[in-house]
Amino acid sequence: MDNLKDKLNVLFEKEEIQKRIGEVAEKIDEDYKGKEILVISVLKGAIFFTVDLVMKMKTPIVLETIQVSSYQGTQSTGNIIMKKDLDSDISGKDVLIVEDIVDTGYTLKYLKEYLQTLNPKSIKIAVLLDKKERRKTKIDIDYTCFEIENKFVVGYGFDVDEKGRNIPFIGTLEE
Ligand code: IMP
Ligand code: MG
């Protein structure tokens, strides 16, 4: 089997990722002073970012997961399906959606609209990466670690057909 890691061009080294997540964690702590955050991690890709983010935060959290899917290979379809719903009631809670990347924006728009129907007190969104130029629908992102160009990324949770999630840096796949 050929090695996916060797085909990647490094975009962000792990130290750089951790440093930036630390800055965002600090900002979140400031914004949520005295509150508890219901963190909703979007499976599977955002697990990696979620762990590093919440471990750097001082604000108490409760962790939930949700899974939706819109992707086949490297092209977003805009067809979102719910694969795993929440396990608890989020009404009246301060919700922070933690997602790996915002690309077209369809996934986060769908998620935010769905979560809004469950009557949380507030909803904010944190993403590791933002491919701004690819946006096809309007969605406000509250916390962004890095903005990137339109390149397909792999590693640190990002997969290509489910492979490469545990590569410790974020790299681009030049196809
Ligand atoms: P959106 O609905 O187009 O914003 O797509 C968001 C989803 O597409 C993310 O949750 C990722 O799973 C996936 N995705 C978008 N770009 C990439 C990428 O460069 N690498 C890996 N997955 C990606
Ligand atoms: Mg995803």
Side-chain angles (χ1 to χ4, degrees):
M1 211 169 87
D2 48 349
N3 198 348
L4 176 59
K5 194 172 168 184
D6 298 335
K7 289 189 203 151
L8 300 177
N9 296 321
V10 178
L11 187 61
F12 301 110
E13 291 286 6
K14 61 180 181 195
E15 296 74 17
E16 200 179 352
I17 299 169
Q18 293 306 317
K19 180 167 176 277
R20 180 64 189 136
I21 294 175
E23 293 167 3
V24 171
E26 225 172 88
K27 179 79 173 75
I28 292 172
D29 281 338
E30 276 169 37
D31 294 351
Y32 287 88
K33 226 166 232 142
K35 296 183 178 167
E36 178 185 84
I37 306 177
L38 193 288
V39 169
I40 301 180
S41 183
V42 185
L43 301 175
K44 304 174 191 168
I47 297 176
F48 299 76
F49 172 42
T50 305
V51 170
D52 287 336
L53 180 69
V54 302
M55 294 295 277
K56 288 177 169 60
M57 285 162 43
K58 297 189 179 75
T59 311
I61 65 140
V62 168
L63 183 63
E64 265 291 338
T65 59
I66 198 164
Q67 186 172 15
V68 292
S69 174
S70 71
Y71 239 70
Q72 241 120 56
T74 59
Q75 285 304 307
S76 183
T77 58
N79 291 326
I80 317 288
I81 45 166
M82 174 78 73
K83 287 182 139 183
K84 184 211 162 280
D85 206 340
L86 300 172
D87 300 314
S88 65
D89 181 11
I90 64 161
S91 63
K93 312 276 180 169
D94 289 301
V95 167
L96 180 65
I97 305 172
V98 179
E99 173 60 313
D100 51 10
I101 191 166
V102 55
D103 183 20
T104 62
Y106 290 134
T107 304
L108 280 168
K109 194 187 167 81
Y110 168 92
L111 274 175
K112 195 172 182 185
E113 284 174 359
Y114 167 64
L115 295 173
Q116 233 130 28
T117 67
L118 304 176
N119 302 313
K121 186 167 165 211
S122 67
I123 304 187
K124 285 190 180 190
I125 300 175
V127 299
L128 180 63
L129 303 182
D130 185 346
K131 281 188 197 170
K132 236 180 189 153
E133 66 184 77
R134 291 257 308 160
R135 202 76 86 255
K136 295 218 170 69
T137 180
K138 189 178 154 30
I139 177 86
D140 293 325
I141 307 297
D142 302 280
Y143 307 98
T144 302
C145 294
F146 303 101
E147 282 184 18
I148 62 164
E149 304 172 42
N150 181 20
K151 284 191 177 155
F152 197 79
V153 295
V154 181
Y156 190 70
F158 295 101
D159 70 303
V160 53
D161 292 334
E162 294 301 324
K163 298 189 201 308
R165 294 194 196 272
N166 68 332
I167 292 170
F169 58 87
I170 298 175
T172 55
L173 190 62
E174 313 287 346
E175 287 176 294

